Amino acid sequence: MRDIISIATTRYSKLLFTKPNNRHIKTIVPSIIRNIMSESDHQSPAFTSPKMVVKKVLAKSQSEGDGATVRRAIGSRDLRNLDPFLMLDDFSVSPPAGFPDHPHRGFETVTYMLQGGITHQDFAGHKGTIWTGDVQWMTAGRGIVHSEMPAGEGPNTGLQLWINLSRKDKMIEPRYQELLSKDIRRAEKDGVEVRVIAGETMGVSSPVFTRTPALFFDFTLKPKAQFHQSIPETWTSFVYIIEGEGVFGSAHASAHHVLVLGPGDGLSVCNKSSEPLRFVLVGGQPINEPVVQHGPFVMNSQDEINQTIQDYHYGQNGFEMAKSWRSQ
């Protein structure tokens, strides 16, 4: 890939000197990279306008919950939110630390276990444990109070993504979708393996219903592997690197970086290293509504936040069981 970028830069330089006033100069490098990648690999992109990385942020460690540690990729000062995504945490928790009883309203949480397990229970009587490779897709809607505590002794690690809900869906009834690792659909070809959490790729689709239209893919690329992934052009999208290093578009990045992708209808990824590259690619349709957040409450106005705080305090409008319930 570095050779490809070098060639593209050389061609760009020649064009720059011959056409110094060309208003379309910003489109030349992506176009050249796309053409060269197509010429140099038997896989051809299924898109016409490649996405480039417009922001690269290192997820820094911070304390969260009760003694847990997270790398906050989205939701930090460096990257506040990314409509429709509110937060992405790469978490690590060992007993007795955890995420004890806490409320949510107005969005969805997606918890994807990378190692170990997390036991979840809520005030409506729902209880269960998700283990390595399992997914819980929780729609908090009008209100949930729950706990998330480590199920194993060693480090229990995973990703948790918060996805906003539109105004019309913020007060729907809570619901869960849970997928065991063995039930998550997969595909593999030419050194590229994908687990499809949401959406469709490589001819494989997920059964998960995404109220806010979204895709969530867990990719692993073997050394020297390359892949081209189509993404709806109007969707927000990003990459979070779990392990390894690779080239995304024309940007090189390594573990624990989140890469915000710019305009375009697809992404090209190449692993030029001698180690596997694992990352999640996430995309979603922007909601384009005001976002007012107060901790675990996400609404459209300050008045709605004030009402939510009151509902939680007095145990009403979805929080009726909040006062009497405690996790076990």
Side-chain angles (χ1 to χ4, degrees), residues 252-293:
H252 179 271
S254 56
H256 308 308
H257 282 89
V258 59
L259 310 177
V260 180
L261 305 178
D265 60 353
L267 175 67
S268 291
V269 183
C270 185
N271 179 7
K272 301 295 287 186
S273 76
S274 59
E275 300 294 332
L277 164 65
R278 186 180 183 189
F279 64 93
V280 292
L281 172 61
V282 182
Q285 182 176 311
I287 295 174
N288 295 319
E289 292 179 356
V291 175
V292 181
Q293 181 172 353

Side-chain angles (χ1 to χ4, degrees), residues 154-175:
N156 299 270
T157 65
L159 303 177
Q160 186 169 96
L161 176 70
W162 290 12
I163 307 177
N164 199 12
L165 289 171
S166 64
R167 178 181 283 108
K168 65 181 178 60
D169 292 328
K170 284 190 177 294
M171 295 297 286
I172 62 174
E173 290 297 322
R175 69 187 294 252

